[in-house]
Each structure stands twice: as structure tokens, then as C-alpha cells.
Amino acid sequence: MSATPQKNRAARRVLAAAAGLATVGALVAAMPAGAQGRGHGHGDGHGHQPRTVDVQLLSFNDLHGNLEPPAGSAGTVSEKQADGTVKAVPAGGVEYLASSLRTARKGNPYSVTAAGGDMVGASPLLSGLFHDEPTIEALNGLDLDVTAVGNHEFDEGAAELARLQNGGCHPVEGCYEKGKRFKGADFPYLAANVTKEKSGRPLLKPYTVWKKNGVRIGFIGVTLEGTPNIVTANGVKGLKFHDEVETINKYARELDRKGVKSIVALIHEGGAPASSSYNYDCDSPGPGDGISGPVVDIAKGITPKVDALVTGHTHQAYACTVPDPSGKPRTVTSASSFGKLYTDTTLTYDRRTDDIVRTSVESANHVVSRDQAKATDMTRLIERWNKLAAPIANRPQGWITADINGRGSTALEKPLGSVIADAQLEGLAPADKGGAQIALMNPGGIRADLVHKASGGEGDGVVTYGEAFTVQPFTNMMNVVDLTGAQLVAALQQQVSGSNEASPKILQVSKGLTYTLDLTKTGASRVVADSVKLNGAAIDPAATYRVAMNEFLAGGGDGFAALGQGTNKLVGASDLDLFNAYLAAHSTAAAPLAPPATDRITVIQ
């Protein structure tokens, strides 16, 4: 999902140093290992190979560094039952994902594992504190063969992405474990539609070819063309992002010329199924009828040379068929997010044509159940990194009376969104801090819920630094700017118009700002202009207001061009610092913070 990127880590670096993390070492490049097939071939017992072989494609997407099972509603998937009811099933965690993938591979000598991007970025503290090195290490252990880049792979810029691929210790923080140098990803990151502005050359490999016993499958990886709109300018500086369809078609032709006829596209862009249940049939009543969104048009434009599409970004679950330009059905899949599902696709490979028999492609999503045995190597990995993170992660920040839902809330006005906006307003309202009158928070930047149940030994209701970090992992610096009343109203209208019309992005607003959202209307008119008030007084289009927001929004991110027009900017503390300060000021063990009422946005459905 779109969200704000990780940038200023200064505060965290100080904390890391205090925790005794090693900061020695140098940035040393290491070549990534190529993606090779695993398992053993099979024939007919007489040394002859059968004409066709079933290749198992296992895939997942949008892990976002969730090594431990996500807490609360973020750690469940919706499952439709036989009687039509929907059940929330706990899922996810790399200990279980590793077990699921390893179990699935048994009896499948031709098995390849691919991912659809956003493996890292917007990560919980266990991974984010260490610039996602723990997640890359875990993915190596999972035997991931290949992944596309997602928008979050650019959160810390191209140089940091190259380090995740090639290895070497962090250029500022050094090596985290004494005597250990980060070795980088064993699998290639593919970025076919990302080029360097100066040279026009691809940033990373555009494609790779998986080979086993004469079977060859090409993988082309792209991120969404709109990545610069959802990542701060520093993250994509010096880079150009190209059309997904044109890029995939270009490299499919190149692979075809090289004799690679079986091709899978890994696309960090997705769709929205008509149901949130992972086992919903999105080919009902007809192929692809149950899915909408950007990936549908992309799928319809990609050359028939491509045999299957693994997608992501929207954090949804689907296994559909969408017709290719020749009208033939082609599988399009996505496995939710956070390692809660994996997709198992059977690709029947014809050795005579070197192509996939498209009529026999089968695909389904499976739950990464927490009822199975944990992978012990992943348990050891988590324990090792948790030991390094513990002095910071376990420090109490505040107390809550009940779950305060953010990421897990389906409401337009989210309780945790209100808390975050109020924290930003309170921290930046003093005249010397910016004089903020209003604070706005983008919903995609709220990465988790605050969960009342203890995640470790801290006790129920305690919010630890690690839990607060998981909610606000970007450490974005806050900005306070001048906006006219007209610009403020225009920004609210941009929530439901322009690039956000098909999929609204409803800003979370601080206390005192109220308005009506009429969803029976279309476009900008959904925001009832004369209903926008501050502390009961109508917003004056000609007046100037001091508005606080993170640097991502202040740069016009997420389609909020009006917010990018702010003037008289003052840079304040980080969003995480303000969030933690608010928790400390408004909660104690004896008087914990309660979820706020959601009465700022009046919604007409």
C-alpha cells in the first residue's frame, strides 16, 4: 500500500548506539547468487524425459519485514465458510511461512519461489531498526528465487537498495553483529521499468531465467509506474519509472528471441477483489469478473507471451484469470500481505515447445497457518535479532484501555488515525514549534494497530517502543506550513477525486476539524465544501491556516497536490517522536488512554 518512506533515522541511531549495537565495518559489495532451481528431475524410468513437466510456482508479496506474526487484526485473513459466514483466521510469521513453503515443495522436484515486491520497508522494529537486514537474511533462508522491487524498496533510496542486493554493512551504522558482514540477497531483485535518469540504463536486472534440467522460465519484474507519487523525492532521486505494460512487453520479446518461451511477470501493482475473503472465487460469474483495479488493465495489455502474473501492492488476496490481448485466460494472483498467505500455481511446461500449456494452469491461495510447526532456523533468526533490539524495543511508552485500531480498521476515520493526528497537532501547536492549528495524517502511513494484549512480557495494555515503531516505522520529519482555506478544502477534495477517485485516501484529521463526506456523490463534490469547519467555525477560503503533516504529504504525496503548495515551512520533530511523546503525556498505568470517538468526519453512504 502506498505510505510514507523511511528517512531520517538520527534518533534511532543514537538509540541503537546506546543499545550497544556494533557500528564497525565497511560497505563491501558482494555479488548476489543467481536464482537456480531446487529439487531433482524425474523421467519415465528408462532415462526418457516426459514431454511435459509440472513446475510449481510458489509466490507471496508485501511481506514488509513482518518476521514475527503480525498482531491483532493485521495478523488475520478472512475465510469464507461453507455456510456463507466469514471467519478471521490467525496467519503469518516467517517461522510459519518457511514451514508452509517447505511442506508445499515436498514431492515437487520442479519448484520455484517468487515474490511480488515490498519485501522490506514500512517494517516492524525487529527488521526496520536494522535497515531490513534481518528480512533479507530470512528470505535467503526461505529459498526465495526472485522478487520484483516494490515502491517500499525505494524508501531509503537506490544506494540502500543496491546494498540490500549486493551486501556490505550500513555506510553510517556499520555492522550490527561483531565479526559478521551483511552478505545481501541470494536472490535477484528485478526492476525492469526503473532506469537511471542520467544514463538511461536499468537500475537493476530487468529479468532472470530460472533453469532446471532443460526447463527454462523467464521472470520479468516491475514496480508500479506511479512509485514517485508514493515515495518521497529523496527515495527516487535520479530514477525514472516507466509504463508497466510497455516494459514487460519489451523484455518478453527479448526473452522470446533468446528462446525463453515460458515467462512469468512479477508486478508490484494490484487489484481489488469484490470480497475480502482469500478463498473468494473472483472468476464468478465469468473469468476475472470479481476483480477490479489497475492490474486488470495491465493484464489485458501484456503480451500473450507472458504466461502468468504475480502481483501485489494492494495487500489483497485473489487467484483470478483475466483475458490476455488474444482473449485467452491467464492467471493473475496476489497473496494478501505480511506473509499471511502464499499462492501455489501449477505451470505445465511442454519440453517440445518450451512453453507453458496455458489451459492447464491452476492456482490457489493457501493460509500460512499458525497451527503448524515453526521452522527452527527462523525461530533462531528472530531470537538473535530480538536480543539486539530488546533494549530499545521493550521500553514502555504508554498504556491503553483496549485495542486502538489503525491498519486493521476498515472505517474511513480510524481511531488510531485520530490519535496520531492529535499527537502531531499537540506537539507542533506551540508557537516555537510551528503554531499548528490542524494536523493531517495519510492513512497508508499507519502500518499497524495498537493492541491491548501483551506481545511479550510487558503486560496487557502496555505500548512498547517496538509497538509504537511498528505503527509509525518511517521516522518521517514533520512539517508545519501555511495553507489557505481554499487549499485546505482542495486537499480534502483530492481524497476522493483525481488519482484517488477510484480508491479514496481519507486523511486522518486532528480534533477540531470536522466535515461531511457524501459518498452518494462523485469526485470532488463528495466533500461538502461548506461543511468544513475548525472548532465549529466555517473554514474561510481566503484565510491562512498553519497545518502540520509529515514530509511525504508536504511534498504532495499520495495525490495531494494542494498540500504541496504550502509555504512558510517549519520542520519539526519526527512523527514517531511526537507519537511517543503523546502516549507518555496522556497515559499512565493507572489512567490508560482509551480509543477516541470517531466523530470528526460525518459519512453519508
Side-chain angles (χ1 to χ4, degrees), residues 69-431:
S73 57
T76 64
V77 291
S78 296
E79 181 179 75
K80 188 177 181 182
Q81 307 298 298
D83 63 1
T85 59
V86 176
K87 179 182 176 184
V89 180
V94 294
E95 295 159 298
Y96 303 109
L97 179 60
S99 292
S100 290
L101 295 175
R102 289 164 185 171
T103 300
R105 290 176 188 136
K106 289 177 182 174
N108 290 282
Y110 292 82
S111 183
V112 57
T113 303
D118 276 6
M119 294 296 97
V120 300
S123 306
L125 183 124
L126 177 61
S127 186
L129 183 64
F130 307 106
H131 295 273
D132 286 310
E133 290 181 22
T135 296
I136 298 296
E137 183 184 334
L139 292 171
N140 289 342
L142 289 176
D143 289 333
L144 181 63
D145 287 295
V146 58
T147 184
V149 294
N151 53 289
H152 281 282
E153 264 81 20
F154 294 93
D155 281 353
E156 294 191 59
E160 176 63 5
L161 173 55
R163 188 182 75 87
L164 292 180
Q165 176 71 87
N166 298 321
C169 296
H170 193 272
V172 175
E173 296 177 20
C175 298
Y176 294 114
E177 296 177 287
K178 192 172 182 179
K180 285 190 179 181
R181 186 185 65 82
F182 175 58
K183 72 186 196 73
D186 289 345
F187 51 89
Y189 262 111
L190 304 181
N193 65 331
V194 186
T195 58
K196 299 174 184 177
E197 281 183 348
K198 287 184 178 177
S199 67
R201 294 172 62 84
L203 176 68
L204 296 170
K205 290 174 65 172
Y207 60 80
T208 191
V209 180
W210 178 86
K211 303 172 185 176
K212 183 172 176 59
N213 297 338
V215 173
R216 296 191 300 168
I217 299 179
F219 288 87
I220 304 168
V222 298
T223 186
L224 70 157
E225 184 183 7
T227 290
N229 301 324
I230 52 176
V231 174
T232 58
N234 279 351
V236 295
K237 191 174 182 180
L239 302 176
K240 192 169 183 181
F241 293 76
H242 303 269
D243 181 83
E244 304 96 336
V245 174
E246 290 175 9
T247 302
I248 291 169
N249 290 350
K250 169 188 170 182
Y251 286 111
R253 289 192 297 271
E254 186 171 315
L255 283 166
D256 187 60
R257 286 196 300 270
K258 292 182 175 182
V260 179
K261 307 295 183 182
S262 298
I263 302 172
V264 175
L266 309 175
I267 307 169
H268 192 69
E269 178 61 290
S275 166
S276 61
S277 297
Y278 81 89
N279 54 344
Y280 161 71
D281 180 9
C282 51
D283 281 336
S284 177
D289 284 346
I291 187 171
S292 60
V295 80
V296 176
D297 288 335
I298 290 172
K300 288 178 179 177
I302 290 175
T303 171
K305 295 181 191 296
V306 174
D307 300 293
L309 313 183
V310 172
T311 72
H313 188 55
T314 58
H315 291 204
Q316 301 298 307
Y318 46 85
C320 303
T321 54
V322 176
D324 70 14
S326 71
K328 288 176 64 179
R330 178 169 53 195
T331 187
V332 179
T333 66
S334 175
S336 183
S337 63
F338 301 169
K340 294 182 288 188
L341 298 176
Y342 71 92
T343 312
D344 191 334
T345 302
T346 301
L347 303 173
T348 301
Y349 185 94
D350 187 327
R351 289 186 182 274
R352 289 190 196 173
T353 63
D354 291 325
D355 207 352
I356 300 300
V357 183
R358 287 261 294 274
T359 53
S360 64
V361 173
E362 293 181 359
S363 191
N365 278 318
H366 301 277
V367 177
V368 175
S369 168
R370 297 184 200 166
D371 293 335
Q372 63 188 311
K374 297 179 180 181
T376 56
D377 58 330
M378 294 295 152
T379 302
R380 288 194 299 270
L381 182 152
I382 288 170
E383 287 173 347
R384 203 179 86 240
W385 287 102
N386 261 332
K387 190 174 180 181
L388 284 174
I392 302 164
N394 297 336
R395 197 172 63 225
Q397 298 297 309
W399 291 261
I400 55 176
T401 63
D403 290 0
I404 304 181
N405 289 332
R407 191 74 178 185
S409 171
T410 57
L412 298 179
E413 183 181 345
K414 305 175 191 304
L416 190 50
S418 296
V419 172
I420 291 169
D422 288 351
Q424 294 174 355
L425 176 62
E426 183 170 296
L428 300 171

Side-chain angles (χ1 to χ4, degrees), residues 49-97:
Q49 290 181 321
R51 174 170 173 173
T52 62
V53 59
D54 282 347
V55 177
Q56 178 190 56
L57 171 62
L58 301 176
S59 58
F60 58 98
N61 51 277
D62 295 277
L63 180 65
H64 290 288
N66 279 264
L67 302 181
E68 296 176 296
S73 57
T76 64
V77 291
S78 296
E79 181 179 75
K80 188 177 181 182
Q81 307 298 298
D83 63 1
T85 59
V86 176
K87 179 182 176 184
V89 180
V94 294
E95 295 159 298
Y96 303 109
L97 179 60

Side-chain angles (χ1 to χ4, degrees), residues 426-436 480 546 570-573:
E426 183 170 296
L428 300 171
D432 62 338
K433 303 293 185 185
V480 186
R546 293 291 283 165
L570 183 142
V571 177

Side-chain angles (χ1 to χ4, degrees), residues 473-497:
F474 300 108
T475 320
N476 260 320
M477 303 312 291
M478 292 299 300
N479 291 181
V480 186
V481 299
D482 283 349
L483 289 176
T484 65
Q487 288 170 327
L488 177 62
V489 172
L492 296 177
Q493 291 172 333
Q494 285 165 357
Q495 300 176 113
V496 287
S497 62

